[in-house]
Structures are given as C-alpha cells and as structure tokens.
Amino acid sequence: MKLPMLEKDKANHVIYGSLIAFVASVAAMLVFSKALAVVIGAITSVVFSALKELSDYVSARKAEEVGLKPPHTPDVIDFLYGVAGAVFVSIVYRAFA
C-alpha cells in the first residue's frame, strides 16, 4: 500500500503552520495559562497563514500589472494547510499537557 503524499508546497505550509503555533504557544506560556497559550499559538499561526496568502495575492497583482509571471499565487488551500498545522499542534499539546 502506498501512502498519500503531500505536494512540497502544501507540506511546507503544514510544517510552518505547526512551527509558528508551537513557538507562539511556548512563548505565550511564559505569561499566560497553558490553555490560553495554546489558543494564542493557534490564532498566531492562522493569522500568519492568512498574511502569507495576502502577501502572495499582492505580489501576484503587482507582477501582473507590469506583465510578469507572478512569483507565487494565492491559494485558499495553502491557507487551510497552514491552519491544519496549527490544529495539529493544538491537538498534540492538549493530549500530552
């Protein structure tokens, strides 16, 4: 049986979404309760994922205006993969903390 593979771009969104959620959660634990820290980490990751796709949208529009091929294209699915990374960290943290 062959396991399903994520495209490299999608896998990067999951990894970075997870990493941002983890780092933000650990940093928030220095100030807030553990439960609130996980929420802060997840929200931080979601915001960064949204900002990344907004940045892709703006850069694509600017490139198109001057007749160039966009370096990145915005994609809602990329955003959702970033959110999935945040959800993964939240679930794992809740299970082991």
Side-chain angles (χ1 to χ4, degrees), residues 29-54:
M29 272 189 257
L30 299 173
V31 178
F32 301 105
S33 69
K34 291 179 182 180
L36 183 57
V38 172
V39 172
I40 290 170
I43 290 171
T44 302
S45 182
V46 169
V47 168
F48 271 83
S49 294
L51 289 174
K52 166 64 170 93
E53 294 311 309
L54 179 62

Side-chain angles (χ1 to χ4, degrees), residues 29 32-33 41 50 63 66 72-73 77 83 89:
M29 272 189 257
F32 301 105
S33 69
V66 295
H72 301 283
T73 54
I77 302 300
V83 171
V89 168

Side-chain angles (χ1 to χ4, degrees), residues 8-14 16-17 20 44-62 70-84:
K8 182 180 177 184
D9 177 57
K10 306 302 184 216
N12 283 340
H13 283 274
V14 172
Y16 286 114
I20 291 167
T44 302
S45 182
V46 169
V47 168
F48 271 83
S49 294
L51 289 174
K52 166 64 170 93
E53 294 311 309
L54 179 62
S55 170
D56 286 352
Y57 174 78
V58 170
S59 65
R61 298 290 287 172
K62 286 182 179 181
H72 301 283
T73 54
D75 187 3
V76 173
I77 302 300
D78 286 349
F79 167 74
L80 294 176
Y81 274 94
V83 171

